[in-house]
Amino acid sequence: MEELIKKIQQDAEKKISEIKDIKELQELKVKILGKKSELSEALKNLKDLSQEERPKIGALVNTARTKLEEKITEMEEKFARKNLEEKLEKEAIDITLPSKKIRRGSEHPLNRVIEEIEDLFTSMGYDVVEGPELETDEFCFERLNLPEGHPARDMQDSFYITDKYLLRTQTSAVQARTMVANEEKSPIRIITLGKTYRREDDATHSHQFNQIEGLVIDRKETKISLADLKGTLEVFMRKMLGDKTELRFRPSYFPFTEPSYEVDVTCFKCGGKGCSLCKQTGWIEVLGSGMVHPNVLKMNGYDPDKYAGFAFGTGIDRLAMFKYGITDMRYLYTNDIKFLKQFDRMDK
Amino acid sequence: MKLSLNFVKDYVDLDESLTVHQIAEDMTRVGNEYDSAEKLINATNLVIGKVLTCEMHPDSDHLHVCTVDIGTEVLHIVCGAPNVAKGQKVIVAKAGAELPDGTIKKGMIRGQESNGMICALFELGIDKKFLSEEDKTGIHVLPDDAPVGKDPVEYMKLNDDVIDFDLTANRGDLLSILGMAYELGAIYDKKVKDIDLSHKESGEDLNKSFKLNVNTPNCSLFLARKVENVEIKESPEFIRHRLIASGIRPINVVVDISNYVMLECGQPLHFYDADRLNGVLEVRQANKNEKLTTLDENERTLDETDLVISNGKESIGLAGVMGGLSTEVENTTKNIIIESAIFDSVMVRKTSKKILRSEASNRFEKGIDPNRTYMAIERACHLLEKYAGGTVRTGRCEYNKADLSDRKISVEYSQINDLLGTEIPKNEVLSVFRKLGFTAKDSGKAADVTVPRRRLDISIPEDLIEEVSRIYGVDNIEGKLPVVPMKRGSRNNTLREIRRKMVNLGLNETLTYVLINDKEVHKYTYDEFEELRLQDPMTEERNVLRYSLIPSLVKTYEYNKAHYNKDVSIFEIGKGFFKKGEVYGENTKLCALMAGEYFNSLNSEQKVDFYVIKGVAEEILDYLGYSSRYSFVKPKKEIKEFHPYQVAEISVNNDVCGIVGKLHPNEMKEDVYILEINLDKLLDKKTGKMSFKEISKFPEVNKDLSVVVDKSVSSSDLEKEIKNAGGKLFLGSRIFDVYEGERLGKDKKSIAVSLSFGTLDRTLTDEEVNEIMNKIVERLEKSLKAELRK
């Protein structure tokens, strides 16, 4: 009996080791361990054995069975591993093929610059306010100390709809609106940005363009001064045009400020050496600015004896052109997809 | 204003070491920009020569071969001018000379040696409009006494420098040589010299024979004088050349003197032929439809807003703008009446804009110091006596309502330093005023300044502060940041968020023009509004303000199509304008246009279709918090530019806020899809706050349902009915298949929906779910005549 069991085990082990695939293994498993297997038969025959032999042989059968089960499991695992490996190999791909492109849009470069300016000034405590593009003569001119018939005001430059309404020629209109709307006449620190319109179209002027305007008004004790204006514009221009940018203030004339200054920056093309862009002067005029004219304060409800402040404004289109090296202003408004798509990434 | 440096040096001394560029830059620093600063004659290597021989070129019918003595040598020169002749003194450009049109080289001209050029004045850079008829067509012939071998530019007194200033509108005072002299005097700390007004007077007082009648409030000062027996001839060289340098064409000594004085004093003068007046000059408003033939021989029709000069009977000139033809100074004129007057700036501005903007009108518009009105008329008498042989009649006719006095303004030193952010000491402030030619007295805390009348732009302390900053130098002021309470700036982020979202959905942002053509303005909408038309458009292409952004984006699409971009997904946030009744308004709108492929990758692509752009719309609405508040509905009225069956209005809280659809094939042959939302209208509607909803810990039960319905039943109707019947345990539905086919029968379709059920506190039982499903099916059968598909 002992011999027989040993033989059964040896035969089975041999068969297991010769097995070629999982299906044969399953069949063999039934054959070796199933109810009709030799081992099972051997167990059934236990009852025919003597009292002394019975436990001994029983243990022997169980040991053989356990051993065979282990062997089979081992084989099963081997086949499973092999199977998986084959499957994975079949799933091999060319990792250099193009990816599934998720469409990426882009922001217009002018709006990118607008956002940059907004973020700079909000970080300095300025509120961003908005005003209508369809303005009244009153806010666009009259309340800015530009009465009818004033030489600085020229019908040729404006798009009038009626005698009263026009497309705003300058974001300065928002200055007056902000002062009038502030009923407590508390200090003001705002910027406003947006589209403006003038009746001119040539290589360097578009009839539609964008401006930013800043206004700071405070009680006279605060002593808002030209030096403050200068410092503020230095921060602004250096943020936009680089830390090395120098500013030159030139006295000028705007009806809504007194004193008034035009501000030049070192030429962004040549860095001040002189080139065709700056007409060999090394400077490029970018900003208009000044201390708010007492008449403007008065006309919009602020007592010029108690309040003072500064204002400034500049065109955004040219800043954007410089920032991104755009060579022709027309690109900004023709909206060629090949142009727009270039502005689809983070900017340092 | 073109400034001749020779001219201004009559009144202020400038260091010889100062170059024209330095002067221009120094003027810029105090606020006076310039366009150009250069020599009047921009040519080198010129010499006076004498033509020794002049013969016709053997191989040409118009060229001459000349020998010219230039002192150091005799040059062989081929000359093409018709007027060249033996014995003439001429201007010779030697080989190597730089002229405005190029460099002169030695060479052969049709076989004849040519070692230089005999020059015409226009070849030296003088505009032909300033030249005499002979000089326009030929070389310039110098007087016989011209010294051979010397510099012709110096000899002709054309060695001048000119700065072309681009002046600000407030500095009318700088439209005069005297004004410029004061400005330069302030910069370089030099005193301005006196102007010579001296002349004799003779005869009976003019006031006995001549009358002034001013019958309008728009003339504050009017002076007249008479100069007799003037000789009409060419002006002296210095007058002619200074006029040319200033951009004015010399005519004859009388006309030239009126222009010369205008340049000096900034006061335009008008000279009348005295014998063609009736002993009277009247200033009045024109009558309606009054006719006047002006100097340029045009007949003008006037109205009450024009100011005219009349001889008592009829108008003979447009005040401050242009004289009349009938009383013009001619070659036969003997006696002249000089008018020196001030006319209302706004009135002159209006008339000149209609008729002609001239040197004179420009000065009246900017304002004139009445003291100069007196100065100019006396200066003209001085010059007419000296250079035109005239005799000045005794007496001056005057009408004067003008204020000639200087302004007194006090400015506190602290006020100056507070506004400029400086600590400029008292004496430096006072020195600035002195340099400017103002009188300033120190009264302790303030400077009491007397500002001469000529500075019409200065009227308040702030104006004086500007003067201090100009002359003290803004470069000397150190920039700093305002000391104000710290706070965080605020801004409305919504539009920025929408833009970001659109960019994330893969669309490219555009910026288009607001002005469009009137044929486009009413398209893509059934809204009724009055278009906003420009009074004075630049081109008819852009004559109205857009109402919708769609025409702008359609144009942008067409541009891109023409530039080989067929996959276009773009958007813009901008204003649309309208007028309803008497209300003028504008709305912020979001517009998107999509065409071609939305994406295309290896083995997978998605062409833009209605559902893609609808998806974009939903993304925006959901992102803004309107989910479950909006629906897509058939437009109330047909819009002919849209595909009639692929268009929907976006209704939020049952109010139409936008449109989404495909363009009609008549409108666009490609498949182009449009979305437009009126953001003002949309964002006016309240949304709930974003807040957390409890998540069930128990599994959801999902059931699929497939029903056959009439084609006319919309999927949104179906989902609405399901929701209504679903009760509290119904969580949501998702349509996953729509099928149409013959098997179902014509006009039928099947819709397959996946439904989910669940609750927070337990797993639902089969019985519960089946009960709801039955209710739903019953409801669909009843209200939509749906059949359950087995």
Side-chain angles (χ1 to χ4, degrees):
Chain A
M1 196 67 190
E2 234 184 289
E3 300 295 301
L4 179 69
I5 289 165
K6 265 189 188 152
K7 191 174 181 296
I8 292 170
Q9 188 182 347
Q10 275 165 9
D11 288 354
E13 279 180 2
K14 193 172 174 248
K15 279 184 188 150
I16 290 168
S17 64
E18 285 164 1
I19 254 1
K20 289 283 179 299
D21 64 35
I22 185 92
K23 211 177 144 206
E24 279 176 33
L25 185 67
Q26 298 302 343
E27 283 165 17
L28 188 67
K29 189 179 178 181
V30 176
K31 231 185 249 173
I32 297 169
L33 302 172
K35 281 180 187 162
K36 287 177 184 167
S37 66
E38 286 172 292
L39 274 183
S40 300
E41 289 297 319
L43 272 181
K44 277 184 208 158
N45 294 337
L46 275 186
K47 62 180 185 298
D48 302 335
L49 293 179
S50 66
Q51 281 290 44
E52 302 93 69
E53 273 192 310
R54 218 180 278 172
K56 200 177 145 201
I57 299 298
L60 214 60
V61 172
N62 278 332
T63 313
R65 193 182 173 89
T66 313
K67 275 246 167 103
L68 289 172
E69 276 173 353
E70 273 172 17
K71 278 266 177 205
I72 289 168
T73 309
E74 199 182 295
M75 279 306 270
E76 277 174 345
E77 277 171 3
K78 193 180 140 198
F79 282 123
R81 237 181 357 256
K82 204 178 143 208
N83 258 350
L84 183 61
E85 269 162 25
E86 279 167 12
K87 186 173 173 262
L88 291 178
E89 203 182 318
K90 271 185 211 147
E91 287 172 4
I93 57 164
D94 176 359
I95 54 162
T96 65
L97 277 175
S99 61
K100 304 269 180 194
K101 281 274 181 259
I102 295 173
R103 216 190 136 89
R104 184 173 41 162
S106 59
E107 254 183 288
H108 195 281
L110 281 171
N111 278 333
R112 294 181 74 119
V113 171
I114 284 174
E115 287 188 2
E116 188 177 343
I117 296 172
E118 285 181 348
D119 291 347
L120 170 69
F121 280 99
T122 48
S123 79
M124 296 197 287
Y126 288 69
D127 300 321
V128 180
V129 299
E130 288 168 38
E133 290 171 30
L134 181 59
E135 250 310 347
T136 57
D137 190 90
E138 179 192 349
F139 280 100
C140 201
F141 295 126
E142 270 172 53
R143 283 182 176 272
L144 295 172
N145 203 26
L146 262 156
E148 216 199 319
H150 195 287
R153 163 181 179 162
D154 211 314
M155 164 92 181
Q156 295 305 313
D157 290 335
S158 313
F159 286 118
Y160 276 92
I161 315 294
T162 65
D163 290 344
K164 188 178 160 202
Y165 284 96
L166 73 158
L167 281 170
R168 67 178 177 192
T169 54
Q170 48 189 11
T171 41
S172 314
V174 184
Q175 281 191 27
R177 287 197 175 270
T178 307
M179 284 187 250
V180 170
N182 186 335
E183 282 170 18
E184 300 100 66
K185 303 301 164 204
S186 53
I188 289 175
R189 215 186 314 167
I190 58 135
I191 58 161
T192 183
L193 308 96
K195 295 189 184 108
T196 44
Y197 307 85
R198 280 185 204 174
R199 220 180 156 283
E200 53 191 12
D201 242 340
D202 58 45
T204 53
H205 295 90
S206 163
H207 70 272
Q208 178 177 316
F209 56 104
N210 292 270
Q211 277 192 339
I212 172 210
E213 183 93 9
L215 175 70
V216 174
I217 292 176
D218 217 315
R219 298 191 66 86
K220 277 213 161 151
E221 301 83 76
T222 312
K223 296 187 180 172
I224 297 290
S225 69
L226 172 64
D228 296 328
L229 169 66
K230 220 178 160 186
T232 302
L233 294 182
E234 279 165 3
V235 169
F236 177 26
M237 286 294 116
R238 286 174 188 157
K239 171 77 175 72
M240 303 308 295
L241 303 173
D243 289 340
K244 288 191 182 127
T245 306
E246 289 299 321
L247 278 71
R248 176 171 85 164
F249 276 62
R250 269 186 295 105
S252 187
Y253 170 67
F254 305 111
F256 25 92
T257 47
E258 187 66 45
S260 302
Y261 303 90
E262 277 181 330
V263 183
D264 301 336
V265 293
T266 36
C267 176
F268 18 85
K269 197 171 165 195
C270 65
K273 284 184 228 98
C275 68
S276 59
L277 182 67
C278 58
K279 292 181 197 151
Q280 309 306 329
T281 60
W283 296 103
I284 292 201
E285 181 190 323
V286 286
L287 285 143
S289 68
M291 307 308 293
V292 180
H293 197 291
N295 288 356
V296 173
L297 290 169
K298 204 186 302 168
M299 272 187 276
N300 297 294
Y302 278 79
D303 181 350
D305 290 332
K306 291 184 183 140
Y307 292 90
F310 64 71
F312 59 88
T314 184
I316 295 169
D317 299 33
R318 208 155 48 137
L319 285 180
M321 286 177 69
F322 163 69
K323 194 174 167 59
Y324 300 113
I326 297 166
T327 47
D328 190 327
M329 194 187 54
R330 277 166 292 204
Y331 279 123
L332 295 175
Y333 296 98
T334 47
N335 299 297
D336 191 313
I337 292 286
K338 294 187 200 87
F339 171 79
L340 299 176
K341 279 189 172 167
Q342 296 182 23
F343 302 94
D344 66 345
R345 46 163 280 197
M346 193 184 94
D347 193 16
K348 274 179 210 151
Chain B
M1 164 88 181
K2 286 187 168 178
L3 176 70
S4 148
L5 289 190
N6 282 350
F7 203 168
V8 80
K9 281 175 185 169
D10 281 1
Y11 296 104
V12 66
D13 290 327
L14 298 177
D15 283 353
E16 286 306 321
S17 62
L18 282 171
T19 65
V20 62
H21 288 282
Q22 187 59 50
I23 294 170
E25 280 299 311
D26 291 340
M27 285 288 270
T28 302
R29 296 250 168 196
V30 300
N32 306 303
E33 275 186 275
Y34 67 98
D35 286 332
S36 63
E38 55 196 9
K39 281 192 157 62
L40 177 61
I41 301 294
N42 234 334
T44 62
N45 252 345
L46 301 178
V47 66
I48 296 172
K50 183 175 182 183
V51 181
L52 300 177
T53 64
C54 177
E55 272 150 36
M56 286 307 288
H57 190 294
D59 293 327
S60 164
D61 58 359
H62 69 280
L63 294 175
H64 297 86
V65 181
C66 310
T67 52
V68 185
D69 175 12
I70 59 164
T72 50
E73 59 184 313
V74 174
L75 294 179
H76 206 77
I77 296 176
V78 177
C79 176
N83 63 331
V84 65
K86 184 181 164 184
Q88 283 171 342
K89 294 278 180 70
V90 293
I91 304 163
V92 176
K94 294 190 282 188
E98 301 276 352
L99 302 189
D101 288 334
T103 309
I104 301 301
K105 295 187 190 97
K106 285 189 182 179
M108 302 292 282
I109 296 172
R110 294 198 191 174
Q112 294 288 324
E113 197 184 334
S114 188
N115 295 324
M117 181 165 97
I118 302 176
C119 300
L121 288 179
F122 62 82
E123 286 165 330
L124 304 183
I126 297 180
D127 199 309
K128 278 190 180 175
K129 72 179 176 197
F130 299 132
L131 299 177
S132 66
E133 284 311 311
E134 303 88 78
D135 274 328
K136 273 180 196 166
T137 52
I139 56 158
H140 183 63
V141 181
L142 296 168
D144 286 340
D145 66 355
V148 169
K150 291 281 184 312
D151 180 353
V153 175
E154 218 170 288
Y155 171 75
M156 290 185 290
K157 298 199 176 66
L158 284 168
N159 54 339
D160 200 355
D161 295 294
V162 180
I163 307 173
D164 191 359
F165 283 103
D166 186 9
L167 298 169
T168 54
N170 60 329
R171 294 301 302 272
D173 64 305
L174 293 182
L175 294 171
S176 67
I177 292 294
L178 282 172
M180 286 287 184
Y182 280 109
E183 190 79 348
L184 290 165
I187 295 174
Y188 301 119
D189 198 7
K190 302 277 186 204
K191 256 191 114 61
V192 173
K193 296 177 212 170
D194 288 337
I195 184 168
D196 192 350
L197 306 176
S198 64
H199 60 82
K200 298 191 198 77
E201 287 188 353
S202 59
E204 185 194 55
D205 191 320
L206 182 64
N207 283 297
K208 293 207 170 132
S209 55
F210 199 83
K211 286 271 167 305
L212 289 181
N213 292 323
V214 176
N215 296 320
T216 168
N218 294 312
C219 170
S220 57
L221 179 58
F222 199 112
L223 308 175
R225 262 193 179 273
K226 190 171 188 182
V227 179
E228 291 163 310
N229 294 316
V230 294
E231 192 187 338
I232 308 284
K233 57 180 179 184
E234 189 177 52
S235 299
E237 201 168 48
F238 80 93
I239 291 186
R240 277 188 285 126
H241 289 171
R242 284 174 178 188
L243 289 182
I244 289 173
S246 310
I248 293 176
R249 183 164 61 100
I251 294 171
N252 60 50
V253 67
V254 172
V255 177
D256 291 354
I257 284 172
S258 82
N259 284 325
Y260 191 85
V261 174
M262 173 182 74
L263 289 174
E264 277 189 316
C265 306
Q267 165 71 59
L269 299 176
H270 192 78
F271 291 179
Y272 298 90
D273 187 330
D275 302 321
R276 292 158 82 179
L277 297 178
N278 309 318
V280 64
L281 277 179
E282 183 194 12
V283 193
R284 60 166 169 83
Q285 302 301 129
N287 300 318
K288 182 131 191 94
N289 293 325
E290 187 170 348
K291 301 270 194 277
L292 170 66
T293 304
T294 43
L295 274 176
D296 55 1
E297 300 187 24
N298 282 326
E299 191 186 74
R300 314 280 183 176
T301 305
L302 313 175
D303 63 38
E304 296 93 331
T305 63
D306 298 312
L307 202 57
V308 293
I309 311 292
S310 105
N311 59 7
K313 289 181 191 145
E314 56 187 9
S315 55
I316 54 169
L318 268 172
V321 181
M322 206 191 302
L325 192 61
S326 63
T327 54
E328 189 190 6
V329 173
E330 291 178 335
N331 288 338
T332 53
T333 300
K334 283 266 165 271
N335 307 313
I336 56 177
I337 293 285
I338 306 172
E339 162 202 301
S340 186
I342 296 180
F343 305 111
D344 179 70
S345 59
V346 175
M347 192 146 286
V348 170
R349 181 174 152 81
K350 276 188 181 155
T351 302
S352 71
K353 265 163 85 175
K354 267 192 310 199
I355 309 236
L356 172 89
R357 303 200 89 156
S358 61
E359 294 273 352
S361 70
N362 185 28
R363 285 170 172 81
F364 283 117
E365 279 179 38
K366 305 277 160 65
I368 287 167
D369 168 9
N371 297 293
R372 293 280 179 83
T373 312
Y374 284 90
M375 180 194 281
I377 201 163
E378 301 309 320
R379 176 69 174 166
C381 291
H382 168 83
L383 293 174
L384 285 168
E385 180 183 86
K386 193 165 173 185
Y387 298 108
T391 314
V392 181
R393 175 70 83 84
T394 305
R396 181 171 65 198
C397 300
E398 283 189 43
Y399 168 88
N400 186 358
K401 299 265 185 239
D403 178 6
L404 277 72
S405 63
D406 294 340
R407 279 206 181 86
K408 288 188 167 50
I409 306 167
S410 280
V411 59
E412 289 183 15
Y413 302 110
S414 65
Q415 200 182 347
I416 297 172
N417 284 317
D418 284 355
L419 200 71
L420 297 180
T422 50
E423 284 166 20
I424 306 173
K426 242 185 211 189
N427 57 345
E428 220 162 315
V429 170
L430 294 169
S431 128
V432 165
F433 294 135
R434 181 187 52 74
K435 287 179 188 170
L436 285 161
F438 303 173
T439 23
K441 261 193 270 161
D442 177 23
S443 67
K445 278 169 80 179
D448 298 333
V449 186
T450 306
V451 181
R453 192 78 205 162
R454 63 184 159 82
R455 288 299 302 272
L456 296 168
D457 59 315
I458 296 178
S459 55
I460 56 173
E462 283 77 5
D463 294 325
L464 288 177
I465 297 174
E466 177 167 60
E467 294 303 299
V468 172
S469 88
R470 271 183 350 111
I471 305 302
Y472 174 77
V474 204
D475 290 343
N476 298 325
I477 299 172
E478 197 69 40
K480 63 183 184 66
L481 287 177
V483 180
V484 284
M486 210 189 277
K487 75 176 175 77
R488 184 183 171 278
S490 68
R491 63 183 304 281
N492 178 354
N493 258 334
T494 312
L495 295 184
R496 196 189 270 204
E497 291 280 340
I498 296 173
R499 285 218 316 275
R500 289 265 197 285
K501 186 71 194 169
M502 292 299 280
V503 167
N504 291 341
L505 288 167
L507 284 85
N508 300 107
E509 189 185 25
T510 65
L511 264 182
T512 57
Y513 291 132
V514 155
L515 294 175
I516 60 170
N517 184 255
D518 52 5
K519 290 192 197 78
E520 311 276 317
V521 72
H522 288 282
K523 284 171 82 172
Y524 314 104
T525 180
Y526 56 69
D527 292 351
E528 279 174 23
F529 58 91
E530 202 178 311
E531 73 270 14
L532 294 172
R533 194 171 281 277
L534 296 182
Q535 283 183 347
D536 192 10
M538 277 198 301
T539 68
E540 286 308 311
E541 257 317 285
R542 303 192 185 282
N543 56 7
V544 295
L545 275 63
R546 69 183 177 196
Y547 173 76
S548 156
L549 275 58
I550 302 174
S552 306
L553 288 200
V554 168
K555 276 252 149 59
T556 304
Y557 172 70
E558 280 167 345
Y559 177 88
N560 273 290
K561 199 170 72 180
H563 287 77
Y564 319 108
N565 305 317
K566 44 184 207 324
D567 302 326
V568 174
S569 282
I570 51 176
F571 80 98
E572 178 165 348
I573 295 174
K575 296 282 179 77
F577 303 85
F578 62 88
K579 182 186 177 198
K580 267 179 193 149
E582 279 316 297
V583 179
Y584 290 76
E586 59 190 64
N587 283 130
T588 302
K589 292 180 173 179
L590 164 69
C591 186
L593 178 148
M594 300 177 80
E597 271 157 358
Y598 182 47
F599 61 78
N600 180 357
S601 292
L602 193 68
N603 303 330
S604 65
E605 59 154 46
Q606 174 68 59
K607 267 189 162 325
V608 175
D609 61 18
F610 181 83
Y611 299 109
V612 168
I613 200 154
K614 183 184 171 192
V616 170
E618 287 183 346
E619 279 292 320
I620 291 295
L621 293 165
D622 291 345
Y623 186 68
L624 293 174
Y626 295 102
S627 37
S628 79
R629 290 171 197 252
Y630 62 82
S631 55
F632 292 82
V633 296
K634 195 171 153 38
K636 286 194 203 81
K637 285 188 217 166
E638 197 194 317
I639 306 168
K640 75 177 194 333
E641 290 82 10
F642 280 100
H643 188 302
Y645 302 105
Q646 291 194 22
V647 61
E649 281 180 343
I650 303 168
S651 169
V652 182
N653 295 350
N654 294 320
D655 186 16
V656 173
C657 289
I659 191 160
V660 57
K662 181 181 182 180
L663 290 186
H664 197 286
N666 290 342
E667 200 61 34
M668 181 68 75
K669 69 176 197 293
E670 289 80 9
D671 295 341
V672 171
Y673 298 85
I674 298 283
L675 159 68
E676 187 170 60
I677 297 175
N678 183 335
L679 291 176
D680 287 346
K681 211 167 167 187
L682 177 70
L683 297 171
D684 234 20
K685 302 187 190 306
K686 291 211 168 61
T687 58
K689 266 188 76 169
M690 185 163 69
S691 63
F692 169 71
K693 278 194 199 74
E694 196 60 59
I695 301 161
S696 176
K697 293 181 179 68
F698 302 93
E700 280 180 15
V701 181
N702 291 305
K703 289 275 179 184
D704 290 351
L705 178 68
S706 181
V707 290
V708 176
V709 289
D710 282 353
K711 256 189 196 172
S712 62
V713 173
S714 73
S715 57
S716 73
D717 293 342
L718 183 82
E719 287 193 286
K720 220 181 279 166
E721 293 300 333
I722 291 172
K723 193 183 175 199
N724 288 341
K728 276 186 186 161
L729 300 176
F730 171 77
L731 294 178
S733 62
R734 184 176 62 84
I735 292 172
F736 64 92
D737 190 43
V738 177
Y739 171 77
E740 290 173 21
E742 275 178 30
R743 283 194 299 130
L744 295 174
K746 222 178 132 203
D747 302 331
K748 292 282 179 192
K749 64 180 173 187
S750 104
I751 303 178
V753 207
S754 170
L755 309 176
S756 50
F757 304 94
T759 187
L760 281 177
D761 54 2
R762 63 197 158 86
T763 309
L764 298 183
T765 62
D766 282 354
E767 291 78 47
E768 273 179 301
V769 174
N770 289 339
E771 197 185 316
I772 305 169
M773 284 296 283
N774 288 340
K775 261 195 213 161
I776 289 174
V777 171
E778 233 172 82
R779 173 77 170 237
L780 296 181
E781 284 171 346
K782 220 163 139 191
S783 57
L784 300 177
K785 298 198 178 69
E787 284 172 50
L788 196 61
R789 232 184 139 197
K790 307 253 159 50

